[in-house]
Amino acid sequence: MHTALKQRIDMMRGKIDRVVPVVEVPASSQLFVTPENECTRLVELAGISAEDSILEPSAGTGAILRAIRATVPGAVCDAIEISGALCEFLRKEFEGINVICRDFLQSPDAGTAPRYSRIIMNPPFNQGADIKHIMHAYSLLKPGGVLTAVCLDGPRQNEKLKPLADHWERLPRGTFAYTDVATVIMRMAMG
């Protein structure tokens, strides 16, 4: 392995080890931890306040939850995560956050689910899953609510999501460790 690349990987592992304890997740997981700057940007674009009901529908290791708590320490927040091990970790790490362990796409639809004023997310990307997750999340917004998300910057996302977004911010390639996919931060508001 090239020395500079190895040093970069070691540096990233060091940052991750200091921030988040290692938690075993299935090899098939689509978990790509959202970097701190992007978490902060998602929360900033969402414009959260202490009055908001917030959902983080793919909570992973809690990177976005940390940014939410840093902005509004007592934020009322539900977090959905499919991995049982990560749910246990989140419950220990984030006292007062309602951690729900299930597949977000298997969540109740807008007719029976809670409605949220802010949804902040980094969904899985595999085979258009980001589009499905974002559209399902959008159906859970209250009128006047705001959704911010990371998604791929691919042709399907540009066709289906970009026309609905009031903000479309391209991220540099390599923003997410171990991948070089083109991504964006987007925002959608419920009229």
Side-chain angles (χ1 to χ4, degrees), residues 26 36 48 56 60 62 67 71 74 100 111 115 117 129-130 132 145 167 178:
E36 185 177 352
I48 66 172
E56 209 291 49
T71 303
I100 303 159
R115 307 278 286 197
S117 58
D130 53 345
K132 292 174 192 165
H167 182 86
Y178 311 111

Side-chain angles (χ1 to χ4, degrees), residues 65-186:
L65 294 173
R66 278 184 199 76
I68 291 168
R69 282 282 170 95
T71 303
V72 179
V76 175
C77 192
D78 287 347
I80 298 176
E81 173 53 46
I82 194 168
S83 163
L86 286 172
C87 285
E88 284 182 42
F89 167 76
L90 293 167
R91 287 183 182 117
K92 291 176 188 169
E93 186 76 11
F94 296 97
E95 185 177 324
I97 288 184
N98 181 32
V99 178
I100 303 159
C101 194
R102 71 169 167 237
D103 180 342
F104 175 61
L105 293 179
Q106 300 303 314
S107 297
D109 63 26
T112 57
R115 307 278 286 197
Y116 298 93
S117 58
R118 298 293 183 268
I119 300 175
I120 306 169
M121 62 193 298
N122 177 6
F125 295 169
N126 191 30
Q127 297 180 352
D130 53 345
I131 297 168
K132 292 174 192 165
H133 280 246
I134 289 168
M135 295 310 297
H136 183 64
Y138 187 72
S139 76
L140 302 176
L141 277 177
K142 292 179 180 178
V146 173
L147 178 149
T148 60
V150 175
C151 71
L152 284 178
D153 190 17
R156 287 184 288 180
Q157 291 76 8
N158 276 268
E159 178 187 330
K160 295 182 182 198
L161 297 175
K162 191 173 184 179
L164 303 173
D166 63 11
H167 182 86
W168 192 264
E169 179 179 328
R170 286 187 166 88
L171 298 173
R173 283 191 173 270
T175 294
F176 291 87
Y178 311 111
T179 184
D180 192 37
V181 298
T183 55
V184 299
I185 288 178
M186 60 168 292

Side-chain angles (χ1 to χ4, degrees), residues 18-57:
R18 284 191 298 278
V19 175
V20 179
V22 174
V23 178
E24 285 291 323
V25 294
S28 62
S29 172
Q30 285 286 303
L31 176 67
F32 286 91
V33 176
T34 313
E36 185 177 352
N37 289 343
E38 284 66 30
C39 291
T40 301
R41 184 70 177 138
L42 286 165
V43 171
E44 175 185 286
L45 285 170
I48 66 172
S49 72
E51 290 77 42
D52 284 313
S53 56
I54 303 168
L55 172 65
E56 209 291 49

